[in-house]
Amino acid sequence: MGRRSKVEEERAGQGWGYLATIVSDYVSGMSNMKAMYVMGDSTVDCGENTLFFPYLLRNLSLHPCEGPPTSILPHLLAKKIGLPYPVPFYSQNGSSEVLTRGVNLGSTGATILSNPTNPLLQSLNQQLRQAFEIFQLLQLEIGQETANEFIKSSTIFYISFGKDDYMDLFKSADKGPVSDAEKLSRILVDQMANAIQYLYDSSVRKFVVMGILPLGCAPRFLQSRNGSIGDGHVGGDVVCAADINNFVLEYNSFLEQRIVRLGMKLLDARLIFCDVYRPMMEIINNPNTYGIKNARNVCCGESMDNEMRGCMSMNMACEDPSNYVWWDLYNPGQVVSSLIADAAWSGELLPDVCRPTPVQNLASSM
């Protein structure tokens, strides 16, 4: 594969637009990452990409992220790859220059299955339709062949779903046992596999698929299973809801197995599964090792009459968020996200988080 000539480098430096640079790269035979596209739930969106967010999720958190959206996991990984911040879908203008820099389709509250009780919340299928809209716009604006080649050789799709499906299930099951979680796990994994197949058929070849974090250790479920939350509980003092974590582990296992099978079936695709459960449990069980003091409480949120509400105002936030594993009821803080991003990227801090290879290798592969 040839590199751009000196003349082409000089032209790029003289102010060519982003799209012109992409076309120049194709002409010269280069193939490297240009954009990350993100699909998912509250693990990838801080509310900026969720229509009517304050009204839909007012009982959870109005501030589900510590700091700007660039502090959450997919954007930390995009930065490591050297890619721009994926613009929220509802903020993009449909131009090829914007679309070829990456788009975040993710939406807080989104679920793999359609939500019959709240149809305004997005589903996996809705985000797939938005992805196909982007593909069609690119084909119209830069040509079908160029658009397909761009999608195939210069993009990474980051997919993180399932957390909100299980949040809804376990919240509704607080007063009784969950009997259909195993069946749900298989249905959810089937839908995820179908989505990957659809994207592959639309020329996507590189996928980062995320598992679900240990929801049984999230402050919302810690309190509902263990009673009132006290202060300063760290390390082994955190007694997670084992039944919830077991269901999450089951889903993660099913999903990874399906990713392996898809990798064997889709021969020219590169798929990796990232196990966020394991590094988070390592941090929760050994917080002091990572400079964290509190693995049990929320930094932003409060308990009222044995009920918890999330981060409704930044004035509710703790004085030093870096001391906490959890930012709010369900979401880790920036320090934890940064640790997981480092592990997912290189595999050095916490090995084998992403399998069969770290994100760094996926991003640099041809």
Side-chain angles (χ1 to χ4, degrees):
M1 304 294 283
R3 295 182 60 84
R4 286 191 298 183
S5 67
K6 189 173 183 180
V7 171
E8 288 169 325
E9 294 285 357
E10 290 174 352
R11 285 178 179 174
Q14 290 170 359
W16 282 21
Y18 191 80
L19 179 59
T21 304
I22 292 173
V23 173
S24 174
D25 285 346
Y26 287 139
V27 171
S28 61
M30 291 185 69
S31 176
N32 59 326
M33 291 301 98
K34 299 292 184 183
M36 175 184 284
Y37 293 87
V38 179
M39 299 173 62
D41 50 27
S42 55
T43 57
V44 304
D45 173 46
C46 295
E48 61 179 354
N49 209 31
T50 303
L51 299 179
F52 311 112
F53 170 69
Y55 306 100
L56 291 173
L57 298 167
R58 59 183 179 274
N59 61 326
L60 296 179
S61 286
L62 293 182
H63 304 278
C65 296
E66 176 199 337
T70 51
S71 66
I72 58 178
L73 189 54
H75 303 316
L76 292 171
L77 287 174
K79 182 177 180 181
K80 289 179 179 294
I81 299 171
L83 299 178
Y85 167 62
V87 62
F89 179 79
Y90 292 111
S91 299
Q92 52 85 22
N93 60 13
S95 71
S96 57
E97 183 173 0
V98 172
L99 296 179
T100 52
R101 293 176 67 86
V103 179
N104 185 357
L105 306 164
S107 178
T108 295
T111 49
I112 295 175
L113 302 177
S114 297
N115 191 328
T117 62
N118 199 337
L120 291 177
L121 291 174
Q122 286 198 12
S123 66
L124 170 60
N125 283 339
Q126 287 172 297
Q127 292 185 30
L128 277 177
R129 287 195 291 271
Q130 292 173 345
F132 296 149
E133 287 177 20
I134 291 173
F135 299 157
Q136 291 174 341
L137 283 171
L138 286 174
Q139 290 171 355
L140 287 172
E141 294 192 33
I142 65 177
Q144 183 172 350
E145 184 177 346
T146 302
N148 290 344
E149 181 60 26
F150 168 75
I151 296 165
K152 181 177 182 179
S153 61
S154 298
T155 68
I156 287 181
F157 264 71
Y158 179 105
I159 306 175
S160 179
F161 275 99
K163 174 185 169 187
D164 286 275
D165 293 87
Y166 280 99
M167 281 170 48
D168 292 344
L169 176 68
F170 295 132
K171 281 188 296 180
S172 66
D174 276 347
K175 296 181 180 180
V178 178
S179 61
D180 57 351
E182 179 178 353
K183 180 180 178 181
L184 175 64
S185 296
R186 295 188 181 278
I187 293 172
L188 296 180
V189 169
D190 285 344
Q191 293 300 310
M192 289 285 283
N194 289 340
I196 291 170
Q197 179 69 63
Y198 292 148
L199 290 168
Y200 175 85
D201 292 341
S202 297
S203 298
V204 179
R205 291 297 182 268
K206 292 186 178 182
F207 299 86
V208 176
V209 184
M210 310 300 292
I212 302 176
L213 55 75
L215 279 175
C217 302
R220 165 64 171 76
F221 296 119
L222 275 179
Q223 184 188 38
S224 66
R225 300 303 172 90
N226 298 326
S228 179
I229 292 180
D231 292 328
H233 287 53
V234 298
D237 294 328
V238 176
V239 181
C240 302
D243 56 338
I244 293 178
N245 278 349
N246 286 338
F247 285 127
V248 169
L249 283 170
E250 182 177 61
Y251 168 85
N252 287 347
S253 178
F254 288 159
L255 181 60
E256 182 173 14
Q257 291 171 26
R258 188 63 65 86
I259 294 298
V260 171
R261 286 160 53 187
L262 283 170
M264 297 172 65
K265 175 184 175 183
L266 310 176
L267 296 181
D268 59 340
R270 297 290 303 275
L271 298 97
I272 63 175
F273 170 79
C274 291
D275 178 9
V276 294
Y277 183 100
R278 194 164 60 86
M280 276 211 67
M281 287 303 297
E282 163 65 20
I283 295 168
I284 290 168
N285 289 327
N286 304 285
N288 294 330
T289 302
Y290 303 94
I292 296 172
K293 296 180 180 179
N294 194 315
R296 182 179 175 89
N297 298 70
V298 296
C299 170
C300 193
E302 62 185 15
S303 175
M304 298 181 64
D305 300 324
N306 291 325
E307 293 290 336
M308 287 200 74
R309 65 176 183 175
C311 188
M312 309 307 291
S313 165
M314 293 301 287
N315 292 331
M316 298 170 64
C318 61
E319 187 171 321
D320 187 357
S322 66
N323 286 328
Y324 287 72
V325 168
W326 299 98
W327 165 250
D328 71 352
L329 298 180
Y330 303 100
N331 298 295
Q334 185 173 348
V335 168
V336 172
S337 294
S338 296
L339 289 169
I340 296 175
D342 289 342
W345 174 248
S346 66
E348 293 180 0
L349 178 65
L350 296 163
D352 299 324
V353 168
C354 293
R355 303 184 285 267
T357 186
V359 176
Q360 183 177 25
N361 293 346
L362 178 70
S364 62
S365 64
M366 303 298 285

